[in-house]
């Protein structure tokens, strides 16, 4: 019997995990289908929403999936909630891959807020030069603070553009190294960065660069996620799921 694993992805770790498990089980990686040119994943991929928790539960049943893994981004709250609920509905085990958030260290000048709306307010009334290292969904909140200059960097184009008088746009996909980030901050004379607390090394460069340049950072805190069994790294999660994917004869069945 081949074990069937569905990995809800959209992160580097999900892709790495899929590659690691592919030799031991039948793995499908699920992407939301938002990014126009996604990175090649190296395993079978399905793309697009399932139609809520019920739709996901139906998919899990139809495909005979026996393990669900939520390896989505820490700010993708809806799909994580759906995954937990779908696993309950379909009576399947679920595990999550949750990379730890960053912690401020000496020299960091962070203001922590709960939402992108709070971040826009935290910039204050005086015009500033703001680097928004955020996605399409979060940047709209900054239209409420049109006095600032914005530099917006995202994986996919921001459409429609922000209804503010002064904004520039960059399309780029990480990883971003500290030296590149420092050069960017200097080139655009940035005085404040707004970031999610994504964790991981790929986007940490801007945090280090901000520290080196003494630049303030408005950090949008992580949202609450379902309380399910989780691991922090691909290796830990692979070890946790080993007993699900051991060949049948090794279990003496
Ligand atoms: P979200 O708000 O939690 O999810 C919205 C809806 O998109 C879900 O209800 C689901 O639709 C669909 N969806 C999300 N992830 C999916 C997946 N892996 N496979 C199939 N359908 C999925 O998600 P989001 O914040 O827009 O993130 C979308 C994707 O981008 C996720 O895969 C996430 O890992 C990745 N990502 C997000 C961020 C971020 O900051 N939010 C950053 C980097 C990568 P249905 O209800 O119809 O099933």
């Amino acid at each position: 019997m081949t074990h069937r694993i569905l990995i809800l992805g959209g992160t580097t770790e999900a892709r790495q995990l899929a590659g690691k498990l592919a030799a031991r089980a039948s793995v499908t990686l699920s992407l939301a289908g938002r990014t126009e040119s996604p990175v090649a994943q190296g395993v079978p991929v399905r793309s697009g929403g399932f139609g809520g928790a019920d739709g996901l539960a139906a998919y899990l049943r139809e495909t005979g999936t026996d393990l669900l893994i939520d390896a989505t981004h820490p700010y993708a709250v809806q799909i994580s909630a759906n995954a937990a609920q779908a696993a309950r509905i379909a009576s399947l085990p679920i595990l999550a891959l949750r990379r730890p958030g960053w912690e401020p260290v000496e020299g960091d000048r962070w203001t922590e807020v709960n939402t992108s709306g709070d971040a826009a307010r935290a910039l204050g009334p005086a015009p500033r030069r703001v680097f928004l290292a955020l996605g399409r969904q979060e940047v709209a909140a900054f239209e409420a603070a049109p006095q600032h200059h914005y530099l917006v960097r995202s994986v996919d184009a921001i459409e429609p553009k922000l209804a503010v008088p002064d904004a520039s746009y960059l399309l780029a996909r990480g990883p971003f190294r500290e030296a590149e980030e420092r050069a960017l901050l200097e080139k655009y004379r940035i005085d404040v960065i707004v970031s999610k607390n994504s964790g991981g090394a790929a986007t940490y460069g801007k945090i280090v660069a901000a520290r080196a340049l003494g630049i303030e950072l408005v950090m949008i805190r992580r949202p609450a996620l379902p309380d399910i069994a989780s691991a922090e790294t691909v290796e830990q999660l692979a070890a946790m799921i080993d007993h699900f994917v051991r060949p049948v004869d090794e279990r003496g069945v």
Side-chain angles (χ1 to χ4, degrees):
M1 178 187 153
T2 308
H3 292 277
R4 287 193 169 276
I5 301 178
L6 180 68
I7 301 178
L8 301 170
T11 58
T12 305
E13 291 90 337
R15 186 169 69 246
Q16 291 168 344
L17 182 70
K20 214 173 168 61
L21 298 179
R24 296 184 265 169
S26 163
V27 176
T28 300
L29 183 59
S30 174
L31 302 179
R34 307 261 170 78
T35 296
E36 278 131 34
S37 0
V39 178
Q41 305 290 321
V43 293
V45 171
R46 62 149 314 279
S47 184
F50 297 94
D54 290 331
L56 176 53
Y59 175 93
L60 294 169
R61 286 204 188 103
E62 282 159 20
T63 52
T65 299
D66 45 25
L67 175 63
L68 178 60
I69 297 174
D70 176 9
T72 58
H73 191 271
Y75 285 71
V77 269
Q78 188 58 55
I79 188 69
S80 291
N82 292 354
Q85 205 186 327
R88 272 195 301 275
I89 297 170
S91 304
L92 274 193
I94 176 169
L95 297 171
L97 180 52
R98 303 240 170 97
R99 65 167 95 121
W102 302 310
E103 297 288 341
V105 301
E106 203 180 325
D108 281 334
R109 295 176 55 211
W110 290 14
T111 302
E112 295 193 75
V113 297
N114 289 327
T115 64
S116 41
D118 292 343
R121 282 183 285 280
L123 297 174
R128 301 177 80 180
R129 297 185 62 81
V130 185
F131 176 32
L132 298 180
L134 300 174
R136 271 199 282 229
Q137 285 159 301
E138 297 102 354
V139 294
F142 293 85
E143 291 182 346
Q147 70 275 30
H148 306 295
H149 167 79
Y150 292 106
L151 171 65
V152 185
R153 182 175 68 196
S154 53
V155 173
D156 292 306
I158 306 289
E159 291 295 345
K161 299 276 184 257
L162 287 185
V164 297
D166 190 5
S168 330
Y169 299 88
L170 288 177
L171 287 186
R173 196 196 299 268
F176 302 105
R177 282 190 295 271
E178 184 202 341
E180 296 169 57
E181 296 293 61
R182 204 173 159 142
L184 185 77
L185 297 173
E186 288 178 327
K187 177 176 173 197
Y188 287 88
R189 292 177 289 111
I190 297 299
D191 49 48
V192 57
I193 300 174
V194 183
S195 171
K196 287 179 279 195
N197 192 343
S198 298
T203 56
Y204 193 59
K206 63 179 174 285
I207 311 291
V208 184
R211 185 183 308 141
L213 297 172
I215 291 176
E216 186 190 339
L217 208 140
V218 177
M219 184 66 89
I220 303 172
R221 285 192 189 95
R222 286 185 167 207
L225 292 171
D227 186 16
I228 55 176
S230 64
E232 292 189 345
T233 65
V234 170
E235 289 68 29
Q236 282 169 14
L237 191 64
M240 273 171 86
I241 65 182
D242 253 350
H243 71 278
F244 286 109
V245 297
R246 239 181 312 163
V248 172
D249 55 3
E250 274 186 28
R251 295 187 199 171
V253 183

